[in-house]
Amino acid sequence: MFPNEELLMKNLSIKAKLILLSLIPIITIMLITSALLIELKHTSEGSQRIYADRVVPLEDLKVIADDYAVNVIDAINKTNAGLMTAQDAVAAIRTSEAEIQQKWKGYMATELTVEEAQLAKEAESLFVQANKAIVDALAILETFDGMVSGQLNMLDGPMYAAIDPISEKITELVNLQLRVATVSYTHLTLPTIY
């Protein structure tokens, strides 16, 4: 203790000493609580970022992949099998086209890593071929009316050839999303040393 501190402590009443000693833990608790609240805010913001930039895009990518590889192909196959009218197939494909555009636009609005931007650019170039195949399929479907069982065999190969590469690229983007989310989560959960 410094000489002035010793003199100060002697001159304080017991009541004042007790108040002073009780304030020390209260101030310490307030400082710890403030630090924890700041860390909690940081964690919450990080979780929101992971959700907005990784989870939502995963959902969008799944919808895009399903619209191309399942809904479009399925509509053509069902129509060719006599399970769906040509008009219903056109409507289903147009719905898928609109959803693909909407989901891709949303995906591209997220924060992309450099690798992700490159894969997205590659996917967009594959969309051109797939979208052309869809336009060609729609043109053929629109020439029919009602059930057209067995009359769409000519679409089978070209549709798969145009859409399969997109499925592979979307899978790469999904895997990248999962890797980046894992890194973000790991970074977010590492203990902070004060």
Side-chain angles (χ1 to χ4, degrees):
M1 279 195 181
F2 296 105
N4 289 341
E5 282 184 58
E6 194 174 310
L7 181 63
L8 179 65
M9 290 304 280
K10 283 183 183 180
N11 290 336
L12 286 177
S13 67
I14 292 177
K15 181 180 177 184
K17 288 178 185 178
L18 288 174
I19 290 172
L20 183 62
L21 290 174
S22 67
L23 285 177
I24 292 172
I26 291 172
I27 292 170
T28 302
I29 289 171
M30 288 172 58
L31 289 173
I32 291 171
T33 301
S34 295
L36 289 174
L37 287 174
I38 290 168
E39 187 63 29
L40 184 60
K41 181 181 179 207
H42 170 73
T43 301
S44 175
E45 290 169 351
S47 295
Q48 290 171 2
R49 256 190 327 275
I50 289 172
Y51 180 77
D53 288 335
R54 301 296 156 217
V55 175
V56 171
L58 277 172
E59 293 171 1
D60 289 347
L61 289 170
K62 182 190 180 317
V63 169
I64 292 166
D66 287 350
D67 276 332
Y68 271 121
V70 177
N71 297 351
V72 170
I73 299 286
D74 195 45
I76 292 169
N77 288 340
K78 281 183 177 178
T79 304
N80 196 42
L83 302 172
M84 179 183 272
T85 67
Q87 292 84 353
D88 289 341
V90 168
I93 291 170
R94 292 211 186 282
T95 299
S96 290
E97 280 182 309
E99 193 168 49
I100 288 166
Q101 289 175 4
Q102 175 199 6
K103 296 297 183 180
W104 187 253
K105 184 178 177 183
Y107 174 75
M108 292 303 288
T110 63
E111 187 176 324
L112 303 177
T113 66
V114 174
E115 182 182 1
E116 191 174 11
Q118 178 59 40
L119 288 174
K121 184 178 176 184
E122 293 169 15
E124 285 181 331
S125 70
L126 294 172
F127 290 167
V128 173
Q129 182 180 355
N131 292 341
K132 183 183 178 331
I134 290 172
V135 167
D136 293 345
L138 285 170
I140 291 169
L141 282 166
E142 288 172 340
T143 64
F144 292 106
D145 188 32
M147 298 300 223
V148 292
S149 179
Q151 298 180 51
L152 300 175
N153 292 333
M154 78 292 270
L155 296 177
D156 195 23
M159 290 305 295
Y160 283 107
I163 289 177
D164 281 350
I166 290 176
S167 298
E168 292 168 13
K169 194 58 65 178
I170 296 291
T171 299
E172 287 182 57
L173 282 165
V174 166
N175 290 336
L176 177 63
Q177 288 290 324
L178 293 171
R179 281 195 324 268
V180 172
T182 300
V183 168
S184 297
Y185 175 76
T186 303
H187 176 71
L188 186 63
T189 58
L190 286 176
T192 306
I193 299 173
Y194 294 98

